[in-house]
Amino acid sequence: MRIETIENYLKNIYHLSSNNTMVVSNQKLADKLAISPASVTEALRKLHELKFVVYEKSYGTRLTAQGTKEALGIVRRHRIWETYLAKELGFGWHEVHEIAEELEHIKNDKLINKLAQIMGNPAFDPHGDPIPDAKGKIMKSNFVKLSEAKVNNQYKVMGVTDHSIAFLKYLEKHQLIIGAVLSIKTIEEFDNSIILTCKKKEVIISNKVAERIIVEVI
Amino acid sequence: MRIETIENYLKNIYHLSSNNTMVVSNQKLADKLAISPASVTEALRKLHELKFVVYEKSYGTRLTAQGTKEALGIVRRHRIWETYLAKELGFGWHEVHEIAEELEHIKNDKLINKLAQIMGNPAFDPHGDPIPDAKGKIMKSNFVKLSEAKVNNQYKVMGVTDHSIAFLKYLEKHQLIIGAVLSIKTIEEFDNSIILTCKKKEVIISNKVAERIIVEVI
DNA sequence: TTATTAATTTTGGTATACCTAAAAGATTTT
DNA sequence: AAAATCTTTTAGGTATACCAAAATTAATAA
Ligand SMILES: [Mn+2]
Ligand SMILES: [Mn+2]
Ligand SMILES: [Mn+2]
Ligand SMILES: [Mn+2]
């Protein structure tokens, strides 16, 4: 198998398994990779053969230790590049993902560690996602979704779960960016929309938006 | 054809044609790409079809305007990355080529132009090779090979024509790096080896080495 | 528990990018 | 101008990564 093919499978298996906590179905993988289920079956058999995954016919797939290590390497490279593009090269957080999709395949530890070192080994990328360290260790946090916020509390924006350009641009427009401090004024009973203040400006967001924003109580 | 395949052909056709001044033989391309002549014939027919080259059966191949533009883009990306890796990220000139071979395929003008801008739009890479500007224009120079140097003259090292790691490390050991100032002391009649001083230290180099160093009279 | 639906695998393809060996064409030497 | 040699092309073939359609298996509803 081509190395880039392997990497794309492992990365997506990792994400779809919610950081390795559950097995992944062929269907979900096929959707994510935008290919047919037939192709997924074929590829998984080969990845099993290569000992990157344990593929149990008609049941599901999970990463082996080796597969997890590979996946974490890809995730690290992706997020280090996203952070470098945003922090050091002036790209917006809605632009970095696409470029990082390509840069993540360039395997050179010296390069990635140098970029990380220049930035002081950041633990989170521009979307608030954790960056595995050189050994693959991920800093875990106890963040919650903004949709679970309580009235009168204050929160700090720590990340997003939707990385689409449309969503990120929407957030930027309302200054709902990483680090922003939010005060919850009202939560509408009817549709769970939230009225909050951010940078002294009042903002009304739908539950759909709130579900996609990760915050920390302050 | 896969975009990376196309790019590797165009880049190598460009280099083998000495910046587009002559047609390229299938043999030379096959050698450079380390593939069989049969595969080259096949690929060239497709590249002709795609209007990247003019391929004349049993005669030779040259780039079209479109092919040249593509090739210059690849060369620009390669050399900008080599320069960025060396100047901004602390890599040695013998390390940068390998990494740039992968980075050169990532097509994002904003990224490349940003890197170039950070470095003040350099015109030459760490090996002294010219970097095409965003429009594909190359600064031309009137450098000569050190093997054509004259006794008692002073020269400044401007580049190398051999990019092998072994050669670059050899040069580094003797401080024969870009920008070094050389005074020619003696040229041995017998084998054209050169005795020169560099940073006040006397160095003896063979003709083979001198042929691979590009200098400018000062 | 059987029927229906949904997910997965099998089967039989395609296109790309390579290959070797043989044939054809071009160039150089005698 | 032949013969010898070198280069290029053709013919036939492989591995990878995908596909659609059919067959199978699993999950859900009746
Ligand atoms: Mn991303
Ligand atoms: Mn991210
Ligand atoms: Mn190079
Ligand atoms: Mn170079």
Side-chain angles (χ1 to χ4, degrees), chain B:
Chain B
M1 288 177 96
R2 282 181 47 222
I3 181 74
E4 233 192 272
T5 307
I6 293 176
E7 288 182 351
N8 280 330
Y9 273 96
L10 296 184
K11 178 179 67 164
N12 285 295
I13 291 167
Y14 177 79
H15 289 312
L16 288 173
S17 69
S18 311
N19 311 317
N20 251 333
T21 57
M22 49 203 254
V23 300
V24 176
S25 73
N26 292 20
Q27 188 87 100
K28 288 241 174 69
L29 250 182
D31 288 351
K32 196 79 177 290
L33 293 164
I35 58 178
S36 72
S39 301
V40 170
T41 302
E42 242 185 305
L44 289 177
R45 243 199 313 257
K46 290 181 197 158
L47 289 169
H48 184 113
E49 201 53 48
L50 294 167
K51 304 223 195 302
F52 285 118
V53 306
V54 177
Y55 157 64
E56 287 181 74
K57 201 169 144 172
S58 289
Y59 164 68
T61 302
R62 61 196 160 71
L63 296 172
T64 61
Q66 199 200 332
T68 305
K69 196 182 149 200
E70 279 298 315
L72 285 169
I74 301 156
V75 170
R76 172 170 166 79
R77 293 194 294 275
H78 183 98
R79 293 180 180 166
I80 285 291
W81 273 118
E82 282 191 343
T83 312
Y84 192 80
L85 289 167
K87 279 211 209 159
E88 307 292 327
L89 299 178
F91 283 84
W93 72 344
H94 59 278
E95 298 176 295
V96 299
H97 177 80
E98 195 189 329
I99 312 176
E101 280 294 308
E102 303 191 55
L103 288 162
E104 73 187 5
H105 297 291
I106 293 166
K107 266 176 158 162
N108 186 298
D109 287 344
K110 191 173 167 182
L111 173 58
I112 293 300
N113 293 338
K114 177 73 189 181
L115 299 178
Q117 176 231 305
I118 285 170
M119 301 185 290
N121 298 303
F124 297 95
D125 82 4
H127 313 104
D129 297 310
I131 303 175
D133 72 13
K135 281 171 187 147
K137 219 169 87 191
I138 291 180
M139 180 168 284
K140 61 172 182 295
S141 50
N142 54 339
F143 303 152
V144 294
K145 287 190 267 181
L146 181 55
S147 52
E148 283 148 23
K150 306 267 177 293
V151 172
N152 291 326
N153 279 2
Q154 279 212 320
Y155 298 90
K156 186 192 265 184
V157 175
M158 302 307 287
V160 293
T161 54
D162 178 345
H163 294 190
S164 70
I165 292 178
F167 183 62
L168 298 176
K169 281 192 166 171
Y170 165 84
L171 292 184
E172 220 160 47
K173 194 169 69 188
H174 297 290
Q175 293 288 310
L176 294 168
I177 56 182
I178 303 275
V181 174
L182 316 177
S183 300
I184 312 297
K185 295 301 167 203
T186 320
I187 299 174
E188 193 64 61
E189 285 282 320
F190 171 62
D191 64 355
N192 291 306
S193 59
I194 299 174
I195 302 175
L196 52 81
T197 55
C198 169
K199 291 249 182 91
K200 283 172 187 159
K201 277 213 302 269
E202 191 165 275
V203 185
I204 304 174
I205 61 172
S206 68
N207 179 257
K208 186 170 173 180
V209 168
E211 273 180 334
R212 290 165 166 70
I213 298 177
I214 302 295
V215 296
E216 188 180 37
V217 198
I218 52 177

Side-chain angles (χ1 to χ4, degrees), chain A residues 78 82 97 101 125 127 163:
Chain A
H78 182 99
E82 282 191 343
H97 177 79
E101 279 294 307
D125 81 5
H127 312 104
H163 294 189

Side-chain angles (χ1 to χ4, degrees), chain A residues 124-143:
Chain A
F124 297 94
D125 81 5
H127 312 104
D129 298 310
I131 303 175
D133 72 13
K135 282 170 185 146
K137 220 168 87 191
I138 291 179
M139 179 167 284
K140 60 174 182 296
S141 51
N142 54 339
F143 303 153

